[in-house]
Amino acid sequence: MGFVTNESYEGSIESFLSVNEWVSDSEAPYLASLFHIARLLDLKVKAGQALPAGLTMEFRMLFSELRKCKPATELSDDDGFDDEIANI
């Protein structure tokens, strides 16, 4: 797995969404806020201005909260052990 070093804030959200198909309409409030903040941060970067600490912190916190919404993956118990025991 690689990573991108020259991606915009908005682009990073789009990349995240492209590989995380679990994101649905339920997460729309997180996404709306993230995209809004990302656009503001990208404008600051393009203008060569300092990034406001509050906006970058809010972006990070929202992204963390969005990642916490990911459903837990169920681990499969199908390792063949039960079949082996049944054959004894």
Side-chain angles (χ1 to χ4, degrees), residues 32-49:
S33 297
L34 274 170
F35 273 112
H36 178 72
I37 293 170
R39 286 183 193 111
L40 294 174
L41 289 170
D42 285 340
L43 287 173
K44 294 283 187 185
V45 169
K46 286 180 187 173
Q49 299 174 351

Side-chain angles (χ1 to χ4, degrees), residues 1 4 14-15 19 33-35 42 45 59 68 70 72 81:
M1 176 190 267
V4 180
E14 291 169 356
S15 294
V19 295
S33 297
L34 274 170
F35 273 112
D42 285 340
V45 169
F59 183 84
K68 289 178 187 177
K70 183 177 182 177
F81 182 74

